[in-house]
């Protein structure tokens, strides 16, 4: 299986923030969730992938080709959705169709209007009358209407209600049915990732904490609850992080190492929170 | 690039309506006062104000960040704004010509003078465009507005004060102007495009 997106040692310096040696790879046909708190470097990474900002070091390959050299060529096959609509408010979806027909070589007008229909978006209304959810759906319709093979999505579900979010996730799952299609999705809503992602890349303070298969991650880790005395007896090498409360201790542990204990399934959120905020050792 | 141009025309949708009304009002006003000066000056404003407005809209919805995620090079994005400005100036030139024809017809104006006025006005519009766009790209619309007021104030004052210096250009110089000025304007535009692209290449969104 080849990688549709490969990032190596990507680095960008800002005053007070460094995106530090990011490396990851997204295999074709899969969805990678890119998680981390606000300001962790998710948007910076995505902007670097798209050459919206300039890197200081490192390399990015899309479909195996350098993203600086083949910039425009590669973007014909990449669909992008940011966390907001970027079309002027006075435009209508019909206007957008007229414009993008001249920008994307493979613009599929029929597909675009079909998506508008499917998402219940009026083709003749100006965008200023659209709700946030409608605008996001419009951006997604655009990203899906030029035969993109890779979707790069920067917090596409943030600020949306659970129903719309679920609808949008279904659209992504539908897109991925084609084996040639892949999705790179950044979000801080970990439950979304849990629903659809195959891989998870976790970024914290500009550094990658881990890149792993989601199922492996969820199989590997669990949340162990026990009293203070029992906790002292645990082999700390396999405790990723813990939290003490009035009644005892909750710890994120490698499940296989603690057979015989009561261990709850860990969520992605648990893994994220224990790794970042839990006490160590 | 045509796609980007159409995008700006769509984005300026509301402005078109307002401007058509203003154009008609000024035209009627000019005809009534038998003086097209006012009409011509106002029409040049469109060619100057509309590209700035288009860029203000772009900033408002962070269009550039989005445009750069599409198969569009940075230089194409810059060139499309120049194309918009040049076409608007061409439009103004045609508009002023047409308006003047009314005067030629009713008041016996000289057609040659009329054409010269229209071309002169567009030329001035292009000069303003050439100075303005790099400043807009470098500083953003908000700051650039202020800077432009200062930049355009200086030459205006100079022109107003010119008669005081008793500097009358020689007839030879004046006769050369129709040939030199177009070249000068084209040169300015090319330089301006080059500078704007350099600025835009460095920009991050």
């Amino acid at each position: 299986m080849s990688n549709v997106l490969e990032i190596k040692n990507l680095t960008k310096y800002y005053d007070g923030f460094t995106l530090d040696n990011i490396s990851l790879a997204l295999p074709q046909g899969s969805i990678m969730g890119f998680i981390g708190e606000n300001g962790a470097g998710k948007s910076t990474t995505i902007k670097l992938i798209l050459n919206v900002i300039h890197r200081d070091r490192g390399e990015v390959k899309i479909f195996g080709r350098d993203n600086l050299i083949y910039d425009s060529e590669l973007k014909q096959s990449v669909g992008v959705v940011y966390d907001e609509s970027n079309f002027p408010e006075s435009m209508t979806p019909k206007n957008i169709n007229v414009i993008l027909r001249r920008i994307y070589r493979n613009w599929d007008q029929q597909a675009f209007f079909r998506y508008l229909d499917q998402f219940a978006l009026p083709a003749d209304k100006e965008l200023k009358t659209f709700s946030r959810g409608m605008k996001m759906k419009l951006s997604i319709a655009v990203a899906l209407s030029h035969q993109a093979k890779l979707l790069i999505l920067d917090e596409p579900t943030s600020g949306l209600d659970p129903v719309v979010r679920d609808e949008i996730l279904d659209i992504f799952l539908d897109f991925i049915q084609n084996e040639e299609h892949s999705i790179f999705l950044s979000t801080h809503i970990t439950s979304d990732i849990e629903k659809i992602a195959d891989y998870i890349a976790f970024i914290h303070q500009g550094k990658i904490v881990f890149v792993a298969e989601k199922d492996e991650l969820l199989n590997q880790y669990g949340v162990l609850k026990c009293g203070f005395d029992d906790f002292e007896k645990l082999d700390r090498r396999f405790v990723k992080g813990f939290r003490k409360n009035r009644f005892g201790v909750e710890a994120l542990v490698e499940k296989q190492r603690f057979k015989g204990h009561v261990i709850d399934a860990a969520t992605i959120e648990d893994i994220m929170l224990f790794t970042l905020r839990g006490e160590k050792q | 690039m045509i796609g980007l141009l159409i995008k700006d025309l769509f984005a300026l949708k509301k402005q078109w309506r307002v401007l058509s009304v203003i154009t008609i009002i000024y035209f009627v006003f000019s005809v009534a006062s038998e003086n097209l000066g006012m009409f011509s000056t106002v029409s040049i404003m469109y060619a100057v104000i509309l590209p700035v407005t288009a860029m203000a809209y772009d900033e408002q919805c962070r269009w550039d960040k989005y445009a750069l995620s599409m198969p569009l090079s940075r230089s194409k994005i810059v060139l499309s704004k120049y194309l918009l400005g040049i076409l608007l100036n061409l439009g103004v030139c045609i508009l002023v010509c047409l308006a003047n024809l009314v005067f030629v017809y009713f008041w016996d104006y000289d057609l040659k003078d009329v054409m010269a006025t229209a071309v002169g006005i567009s030329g001035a519009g292009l000069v303003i465009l050439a100075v303005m766009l790099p400043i807009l790209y470098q500083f953003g619309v908000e700051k650039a507005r202020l800077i432009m007021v200062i930049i355009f104030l200086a030459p205006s004052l100079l022109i107003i004060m010119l008669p005081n210096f008793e500097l009358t250009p020689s007839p030879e110089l004046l006769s050369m102007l129709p040939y030199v000025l177009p070249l000068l304007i084209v040169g300015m535009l090319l330089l301006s495009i080059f500078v704007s692209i350099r600025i835009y290449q460095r920009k991050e969104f």
Side-chain angles (χ1 to χ4, degrees):
Chain A
M1 199 161 40
S2 61
N3 292 325
V4 285
L5 177 67
E6 257 183 85
I7 300 176
K8 271 192 203 140
N9 305 325
L10 196 59
T11 302
K12 166 89 181 164
Y13 301 108
Y14 282 114
D15 261 353
F17 176 78
T18 303
L19 190 77
D20 201 357
N21 263 312
I22 300 289
S23 296
L24 54 84
L26 168 64
Q28 188 178 47
S30 48
I31 300 182
M32 180 178 278
F34 192 37
I35 60 170
E37 73 270 44
N38 291 329
K42 301 190 294 293
S43 290
T44 306
T45 307
I46 286 184
K47 284 180 185 173
L48 285 171
I49 296 172
L50 296 169
N51 289 331
V52 174
I53 56 177
H54 306 296
R55 74 188 69 159
D56 287 309
R57 213 174 43 238
E59 123 185 320
V60 176
K61 281 185 176 169
I62 301 176
F63 310 126
R65 295 161 88 189
D66 190 280
N67 76 328
L68 288 181
I69 301 171
Y70 298 100
D71 182 64
S72 289
E73 189 56 34
L74 291 173
K75 283 169 182 171
Q76 291 281 3
S77 309
V78 176
V80 177
V81 178
Y82 291 114
D83 59 348
E84 57 188 347
S85 161
N86 299 94
F87 290 106
E89 296 266 286
S90 59
M91 277 190 198
T92 66
K94 262 191 181 165
N95 295 159
I96 291 172
N97 175 57
V98 174
I99 296 164
L100 296 183
R101 214 165 59 195
R102 288 173 176 81
I103 291 180
Y104 286 106
R105 204 187 303 136
N106 295 325
W107 182 253
D108 185 343
Q109 187 165 312
Q110 279 172 334
F112 181 63
F113 284 107
R114 201 173 57 237
Y115 280 119
L116 290 183
D117 242 22
Q118 188 188 333
F119 302 162
L121 299 171
D124 283 322
K125 286 253 170 69
E126 292 189 355
L127 298 197
K128 59 177 161 238
T129 65
F130 281 27
S131 68
R132 187 176 160 79
M134 288 163 86
K135 283 182 192 165
M136 290 318 294
K137 284 185 194 166
L138 177 68
S139 299
I140 293 167
V142 167
L144 294 175
S145 298
H146 54 88
Q147 296 172 21
K149 293 197 175 84
L150 169 64
L151 291 188
I152 296 183
L153 314 162
D154 192 7
E155 311 253 4
T157 53
S158 73
L160 299 178
D161 66 69
V163 179
V164 176
R165 255 171 43 209
D166 208 54
E167 274 175 46
I168 289 180
L169 294 183
D170 280 342
I171 298 164
F172 295 156
L173 284 175
D174 207 36
F175 173 79
I176 209 79
Q177 292 307 310
N178 184 327
E179 283 171 16
E180 283 194 350
H181 290 177
S182 322
I183 298 180
F184 185 71
L185 161 79
S186 94
T187 182
H188 58 263
I189 305 171
T190 50
S191 60
D192 285 355
I193 295 288
E194 219 148 325
K195 275 184 201 153
I196 65 168
D198 304 301
Y199 294 89
I200 289 176
F202 180 17
I203 185 170
H204 175 57
Q205 290 178 349
K207 288 194 173 80
I208 292 283
V209 182
F210 61 73
V211 183
E213 248 180 272
K214 180 186 76 184
D215 292 341
E216 222 168 71
L217 209 59
L218 294 180
N219 280 334
Q220 190 181 0
Y221 293 107
V223 178
L224 184 150
K225 290 175 186 161
C226 62
F228 296 110
D229 295 343
D230 290 336
F231 182 68
E232 295 307 320
K233 291 175 203 152
L234 296 181
D235 187 341
R236 291 293 182 83
R237 281 179 302 166
F238 307 114
V239 176
K240 291 294 275 186
F242 62 90
R243 264 193 314 234
K244 287 184 175 167
N245 57 35
R246 267 164 59 204
F247 310 106
V249 182
E250 283 183 313
L252 184 77
V253 299
E254 290 183 25
K255 272 199 264 188
Q256 302 304 320
R257 307 287 176 175
F258 298 99
K259 288 187 177 150
H261 288 81
V262 179
I263 297 177
D264 295 336
T267 60
I268 299 295
E269 187 165 322
D270 289 331
I271 295 172
M272 193 169 145
L273 289 179
F274 276 107
T275 315
L276 293 191
R277 307 204 46 203
E279 299 171 49
K280 306 262 158 66
Q281 307 309 323
Chain B
M1 201 155 74
I2 302 297
L4 287 171
L5 185 70
I6 295 173
K7 176 228 131 221
D8 280 335
L9 298 182
F10 277 137
L12 294 169
K13 222 186 282 175
K14 212 197 276 166
Q15 269 66 28
W16 298 127
R17 276 173 238 153
V18 177
L19 285 183
S20 329
V21 175
I22 295 177
T23 310
I24 293 167
I25 291 173
Y26 269 99
F27 182 67
V28 172
F29 186 68
S30 299
V31 170
S33 59
E34 281 182 44
N35 180 1
L36 258 189
M38 179 90 86
F39 178 78
S40 313
T41 337
V42 169
S43 28
I44 195 180
M45 295 298 286
Y46 306 157
V48 176
I49 288 171
L50 286 179
V52 182
T53 313
M55 284 181 84
Y57 281 141
D58 284 356
E59 275 182 19
Q60 204 178 17
C61 64
R62 299 191 210 181
W63 165 260
D64 292 277
K65 181 176 86 168
Y66 195 45
L68 287 172
S69 77
M70 296 178 186
L72 295 165
S73 66
R74 285 179 182 246
S75 36
K76 265 190 190 164
I77 293 174
V78 172
L79 279 174
S80 79
K81 282 286 182 291
Y82 278 88
L83 193 60
L84 175 75
I86 291 167
L87 286 179
L88 283 169
N89 273 293
L90 199 66
V92 165
C93 184
I94 293 168
L95 195 71
V96 173
C97 266
L98 288 178
N100 273 294
L101 284 181
V102 176
F103 278 68
V104 173
Y105 187 77
F106 285 112
W107 287 285
D108 233 16
Y109 274 47
D110 183 10
L111 186 64
K112 228 168 107 189
D113 278 356
V114 165
M115 301 294 263
T117 313
V119 172
I121 280 175
S122 306
L126 290 176
V127 169
I128 296 175
L129 191 76
V131 176
M132 194 172 67
L133 281 178
I135 297 173
L136 281 163
Y137 277 120
Q138 176 69 39
F139 297 102
V141 174
E142 205 60 48
K143 275 190 213 157
R145 273 189 184 139
L146 200 71
I147 297 170
M148 279 177 321
V149 169
I150 296 166
I151 286 184
F152 289 120
L153 200 64
S156 311
L157 284 178
L158 207 67
I159 290 170
I160 293 169
M161 282 157 64
L162 213 53
N164 298 342
F165 299 135
E166 292 179 2
L167 281 173
T168 329
S170 68
E172 291 88 39
L173 186 69
L174 281 178
S175 66
M176 270 168 65
L177 278 183
Y179 308 102
V180 177
L181 278 180
L183 285 177
L184 209 65
I185 291 172
V186 171
M188 271 184 86
L189 272 174
L190 288 178
L191 180 70
S192 169
I193 290 171
F194 176 75
V195 172
S196 288
I197 290 178
R198 284 289 290 272
I199 293 170
Y200 198 77
Q201 298 281 15
R202 286 203 317 267
K203 271 190 118 169
E204 304 202 322
F205 296 94

